[in-house]
Amino acid sequence: MKDIAIIGYGQTKFGELWESSFRELLVDSGVKAIENAKVDGDDIDAMYVGTMSGGLFVGQEHTASLIADYAGLNPIPCTRVEAACASGSLALRSACMSIAAGQHDVVLVGGVEKMTDVADPTGAIATASDQEWEAFVGATFPSLYAMMAKRYMYEYGLTLEQLSTWSSIAHENAVNNKYAQFRSKVSVEQVMRASPVADPLTLLHCSPVSDGAASMIVCDADKATDYADKDDIIYIKAFTQASDTIALHDRPNMTTLEAAKVASNYAYKMAGVGADKIDVAEVHDCFAINGLVLTEDLGFCKKGTAGKFIEEGNTRIDNDKFVTINPSGGLKAAGHALGATGIRQVGELYWQLKQDKECKDRQSAINNGYGIAANVGGTGGTVCTHLLSVDR
Amino acid sequence: MVVRTWRHMQERYNLIGKKCTTCGKVYFPSRKVCPECRRKGEMEDIQLSGKGIVYTYSIVRAPPKDFQKESPYIVGIIALEEGTKITGQIDCDLDKIEIGMPVQTEFRKIKEDGKSGVISYGYKFVPTVH
């Protein structure tokens, strides 16, 4: 199997981007990634696009063709990949597999979602749950995660203050991310008092509805130096994926994402490192409880202790002992343009690990040279992880 | 939409699930393949009692379009006596709901698709009367 390298990354701002269309967003981020990687359009062998639902958000399917066309990349093969909110990282994983197999050398991976073009995106988002047996009875996405939170609180005594600390730290981190949707601090008290969405979750426990795109150039590691300087190359040591039941009620345990445990354990094994060696992580906090659950499932603290672990500030950017989690602000504050999120997470790790100027105001300490991203589809029916390293 | 509703009548109206005769595990909604035994499993219909306890819940205060009139309402995951769990609305006072509370199903209207559209029926849960 060939080694994989990231040689360039670019993203748009995440937020309510009224002036931009679906296709423009992805082309904007794609051009940035191509320029950043110092490749030409002619160098690109294939393209993978992650998007959850162009059909429901903007009435457009067949998005692979649309994007290849508008990116001026015809006739290279372009494939659209869908796994709800994990679509972006699944597109990246598909690109990695195609390079690892020797099928392609240089691949452009894009993720995009344009969510503000519909009046009520709730219905489109709900299609990532079990439509017949969850959404049908009135279970919304926030309420599914809220039920996870309620059960977690019941079993482990997590407090609302601890849950709210997650959001407060996320907003603090996003202040220094110019691409983030929210760049204002919020106190734990403000999170708790925000308008209720689905008890115990308030609006400030929830990631926003976002437009945005992120793109990345990945290539055969043997060829990376043909394009990029050595310092601009970061390696993808593991690209893993696992599945779980689509409906939350079918899980024996709702305080953990089994697919995240399986995918991350496999990633650690594939890369030959443990969770204790990870300097920086981007985890999928579409709702604050998911951030806490993933902190445990990825092995950064013991089951049931994430509330205290976060509250003590162990995952803050300025901590020098533990992993830094979501220096970008995470989905909560940086925004959650569904199909783009998985690539944005890995893009943040790319910047963090090479200590890029793009993240100089939110730079995590890089001691061991490893980062991991966990991207969740639905309530955990799909989880993809990517483990990055500064060394090949 | 009509056909889809009809397809689920046995489950939604009568709470018919499936039981794997090989491992004894009960599933709802119905499945064709037992995830434990796969092709070695033999699935048969089982009538569920509709009785169980609240495993977890949330009060929905930002409802989707179809449920705006009912907001705020409770959704919960109920652990049924037969060992399976299902999601449904729980019809009780918002301040009375708690994890562990005994509940049972009642046949109710779930939603309607506008004034002339399809009316969907199914189960909701209410506190068990002793």
Side-chain angles (χ1 to χ4, degrees):
Chain A
M1 190 171 93
K2 288 178 178 287
D3 291 341
I4 322 278
I6 303 174
I7 56 170
Y9 173 66
Q11 70 166 98
T12 67
K13 191 182 177 335
F14 278 27
E16 293 176 357
L17 310 177
W18 303 107
E19 303 294 317
S20 302
S21 70
F22 178 88
R23 64 186 80 183
E24 285 167 345
L25 287 170
L26 192 54
V27 171
D28 286 351
S29 73
V31 167
K32 279 188 189 173
I34 287 171
E35 285 172 356
N36 186 241
K38 302 186 188 77
V39 297
D40 279 329
D42 292 344
D43 299 319
I44 297 167
D45 299 320
M47 187 172 176
Y48 289 87
V49 179
T51 184
M52 175 177 148
S53 189
L56 294 174
F57 288 118
V58 294
Q60 175 75 57
E61 299 293 7
H62 201 190
T63 40
S65 173
L66 176 84
I67 295 307
D69 182 4
Y70 272 79
L73 289 173
N74 286 342
I76 64 163
C78 181
T79 308
R80 178 256 183 104
V81 177
E82 188 275 317
C85 325
S87 298
S89 57
L90 202 51
L92 178 57
R93 180 167 190 264
S94 305
C96 291
M97 289 194 291
S98 73
I99 294 169
Q103 183 74 220
H104 304 301
D105 290 335
V106 180
V107 180
L108 172 58
V109 187
V112 61
E113 213 73 54
K114 175 75 188 159
M115 298 170 71
T116 61
D117 277 10
V118 286
D120 179 19
T122 321
I125 297 167
T127 59
S129 68
D130 189 330
Q131 195 63 234
E132 302 280 7
W133 304 101
E134 293 180 317
F136 175 82
V137 297
T140 59
F141 237 84
S143 71
L144 291 168
Y145 274 98
M147 287 196 279
M148 268 191 220
K150 269 277 183 213
R151 188 69 200 183
Y152 189 109
M153 288 169 146
Y154 176 80
E155 286 187 29
Y156 297 106
L158 173 78
T159 66
L160 192 59
E161 284 84 354
Q162 288 171 330
L163 183 67
S164 306
T165 302
W166 179 277
S167 301
S168 181
I169 295 173
H171 275 256
E172 199 177 306
N173 291 352
V175 167
N176 291 317
N177 180 358
K178 69 178 180 188
Y179 301 103
Q181 186 157 354
F182 301 122
R183 300 186 64 192
S184 52
K185 290 187 182 180
V186 296
S187 66
V188 172
E189 188 73 6
Q190 282 174 302
V191 178
M192 288 165 59
R193 283 193 188 169
S195 54
V197 171
D199 301 10
L201 304 182
T202 71
L203 194 62
L204 285 173
H205 291 118
C206 308
S207 59
V209 167
S210 315
D211 304 326
S215 292
M216 185 169 276
I217 305 285
V218 285
C219 83
D220 176 351
D222 288 338
K223 298 186 174 140
T225 48
D226 293 354
Y227 305 102
D229 297 335
K230 207 171 168 302
D231 292 346
D232 289 328
I233 301 169
I234 294 293
Y235 299 92
I236 300 183
K237 301 294 286 182
F239 39 96
T240 66
Q241 177 191 355
S243 308
D244 200 352
T245 65
I246 186 163
L248 189 63
H249 57 233
D250 282 330
R251 313 228 179 113
N253 183 350
M254 288 167 209
T255 63
T256 191
L257 297 190
E258 199 55 37
K261 282 210 268 196
V262 173
S264 61
N265 280 336
Y266 183 35
Y268 293 137
K269 199 174 157 195
M270 206 171 155
V273 294
D276 58 326
K277 290 283 186 288
I278 302 293
D279 297 315
V280 55
E282 282 279 318
V283 306
H284 193 101
D285 57 338
C286 47
F287 301 94
I289 185 64
N290 206 22
L292 271 69
V293 165
L294 287 174
T295 299
E296 295 167 359
D297 290 344
L298 264 59
F300 301 132
C301 67
K302 285 205 180 92
K303 186 74 225 156
T305 65
K308 192 160 176 284
F309 190 68
I310 306 291
E311 198 176 36
E312 287 170 350
N314 293 320
T315 61
R316 284 178 177 274
I317 294 170
D318 57 6
N319 95 80
D320 53 7
K321 203 170 150 204
F322 299 103
V323 60
T324 297
I325 297 182
N326 290 6
S328 64
L331 285 60
K332 170 67 212 75
H336 183 22
L338 311 175
T341 285
I343 296 171
R344 188 206 58 74
Q345 292 179 310
V346 177
E348 176 71 15
L349 297 181
Y350 174 67
W351 283 339
Q352 289 282 338
L353 289 175
K354 72 191 191 82
Q355 306 187 41
D356 196 279
K357 61 179 187 319
E358 289 275 14
C359 65
K360 69 173 172 11
D361 297 328
R362 56 177 197 279
Q363 179 65 56
S364 162
I366 304 298
N367 299 319
N368 304 305
Y370 294 106
I372 191 168
N375 186 199
V376 175
T379 51
T382 302
V383 178
C384 283
T385 68
H386 285 87
L387 200 154
L388 274 57
S389 165
V390 295
D391 295 319
R392 186 167 174 183
Chain B
M1 189 64 196
V2 174
V3 172
R4 187 160 65 165
T5 297
W6 285 2
R7 205 188 299 142
H8 294 304
M9 270 185 181
Q10 277 298 334
E11 291 151 289
R12 288 203 178 117
Y13 290 13
N14 301 321
L15 222 64
I16 305 291
K18 288 280 182 196
K19 183 177 180 176
C20 174
T21 55
T22 311
C23 70
K25 233 183 138 194
V26 173
Y27 297 99
F28 184 92
S30 95
R31 284 175 184 264
K32 291 218 167 205
V33 178
C34 172
E36 304 285 333
C37 309
R38 297 183 191 150
R39 281 181 299 128
K40 291 193 190 96
E42 198 69 35
M43 302 292 253
E44 65 175 26
D45 285 353
I46 178 173
Q47 170 71 58
L48 301 171
S49 66
K51 290 182 182 157
I53 57 163
V54 175
Y55 183 80
T56 185
Y57 68 93
S58 174
I59 300 168
V60 178
R61 297 179 191 274
K65 196 166 56 37
D66 291 346
F67 295 92
Q68 248 145 22
K69 271 193 267 175
E70 285 147 84
S71 177
Y73 59 90
I74 305 167
V75 291
I77 291 176
I78 313 302
L80 294 180
E81 278 178 348
E82 292 82 2
T84 190
K85 297 193 202 82
I86 70 175
T87 304
Q89 286 190 28
I90 304 166
D91 194 355
C92 81
D93 292 343
L94 298 184
D95 56 358
K96 294 272 163 44
I97 181 82
E98 58 181 16
I99 289 175
M101 188 169 98
V103 289
Q104 63 191 48
T105 43
E106 276 192 0
F107 186 73
R108 296 282 183 86
K109 183 167 95 177
I110 303 296
K111 61 183 175 188
E112 56 188 28
D113 191 8
K115 278 190 177 156
S116 55
V118 174
I119 300 173
S120 298
Y121 295 92
Y123 46 81
K124 285 190 182 179
F125 290 87
V126 294
T128 303
V129 183
H130 294 288

